[in-house]
Amino acid sequence: AEEKKKFEELANALPQIVYTARPDSYVDWYNDWWYEYLGLPRGTTWDDAGTAPMHPDDAKVTSEVWPRTVAAGLPFHMEQRFRRGDGQYRWHLVRAVPIKDAQGRVVKYVGANTDIHDHKRALEELVDERALRERFTNALTHDLRNPITAAKMATQLLLRQAKDPPAVERHARRILGAIDRADHMIGDLLDANRIKAGERLPLRIEALDLAQVARQTVEDLNLSHGERILLSAPSACEGHWSAEALR
């Protein structure tokens, strides 16, 4: 009795959920933090039908796994969601170990629930951020080939028409334009390292003619793939967009 009292005093001093269970898997004691955390009256258990402190999905799995684990005398390990006093379901790492007598029989289980919600969400955001960065980088790397190819083709035409000044100037401007776009894309690739999940990508919005953006894009494509695309834009389509992103 004295040892039990000392254990309960120590467990009640911890800002963590601590509990004990009988060999039949019934949780017979919770420390004070369990009730303070849940904001529920004393006597509330994890499978209480009236208050349902555990997330229904997790409670269904636990009701099958927990008794089976105790019956086998094995340590229990699971992630579960509990409804905090503010109504938010939060993830916990739930662990319980068997206490056995000299004959190896389980006489008690002692367990603890650790709130890992913030840590778990941070890990998920890191995974999402990495996937977003990879998609963004792969897309930019693919698109980067277009201005490079356009610059290459324009250079070849420039060499062939070196004696035609208007053609030289036209192709030179295409090369410069393609190099500028490639330079912006490289900058975007560098910025990709700063992408965070849930954040918006910066766009430079400016007044422009959408038809002109389309013409420049088609010119680059036709340089790379031949005269396969015909654009009909008899009038301007003015507005505010990000020309680089649209290309």
Side-chain angles (χ1 to χ4, degrees), residues 8-219:
E8 292 181 355
E9 288 178 350
L10 177 61
N12 283 328
L14 298 174
Q16 183 177 6
I17 296 170
V18 180
Y19 58 92
T20 62
R22 302 185 315 213
D24 62 358
S25 78
Y26 177 76
V27 180
D28 58 357
W29 183 84
Y30 293 93
N31 69 338
D32 293 342
W33 186 245
W34 165 259
Y35 304 106
E36 292 179 24
Y37 186 88
L38 298 176
L40 294 174
R42 291 186 175 274
T44 300
T45 58
W46 70 269
D47 56 351
D48 185 75
T51 57
M54 187 186 293
H55 192 283
D57 294 343
D58 300 332
K60 182 178 179 181
V61 177
T62 303
S63 63
E64 299 173 358
V65 178
W66 169 241
R68 189 165 63 242
T69 302
V70 174
L74 300 173
F76 181 77
H77 181 278
M78 186 176 176
E79 290 186 0
Q80 301 168 340
R81 286 162 290 182
F82 290 94
R83 189 178 62 250
R84 197 169 58 181
D86 58 5
Q88 180 189 25
Y89 278 107
R90 294 181 64 84
W91 283 102
H92 286 69
L93 177 60
V94 180
R95 289 176 173 151
V97 294
I99 306 300
K100 300 181 180 181
D101 60 17
Q103 287 73 40
R105 293 173 298 187
V106 176
V107 296
K108 182 75 69 176
Y109 263 80
V110 177
N113 299 3
T114 304
D115 189 324
I116 60 169
H117 190 85
D118 295 336
H119 178 68
K120 190 177 181 69
R121 286 288 174 260
L123 287 177
E124 290 175 354
E125 289 180 2
L126 285 175
V127 172
D128 292 342
E129 180 181 317
R130 180 179 179 181
L132 175 62
R133 186 181 290 115
E134 287 180 355
R135 289 199 303 270
F136 186 65
T137 302
N138 289 339
L140 277 176
T141 302
H142 178 269
D143 292 344
L144 190 57
R145 295 174 181 172
N146 289 331
I148 292 176
T149 302
K152 181 179 179 180
M153 296 297 295
T155 302
Q156 293 174 350
L157 292 173
L158 184 64
L159 293 174
R160 295 173 189 171
Q161 301 175 5
K163 296 180 180 181
D164 184 353
V168 169
E169 181 180 356
R170 184 171 64 254
H171 295 316
R173 291 185 182 280
R174 285 180 175 176
I175 293 172
L176 288 174
I179 291 174
D180 284 341
R181 290 196 296 279
D183 182 57
H184 285 303
M185 288 184 179
I186 291 172
D188 288 340
L189 282 171
L190 296 175
D191 290 340
N193 290 324
R194 294 191 289 271
I195 292 177
K196 292 185 178 180
E199 291 189 1
R200 297 179 179 180
L201 297 178
L203 294 176
R204 188 174 67 184
I205 306 298
E206 57 188 344
L208 55 86
D209 177 7
L210 195 60
Q212 183 60 28
V213 175
R215 288 192 192 95
Q216 293 171 350
T217 304
V218 168
E219 286 178 5

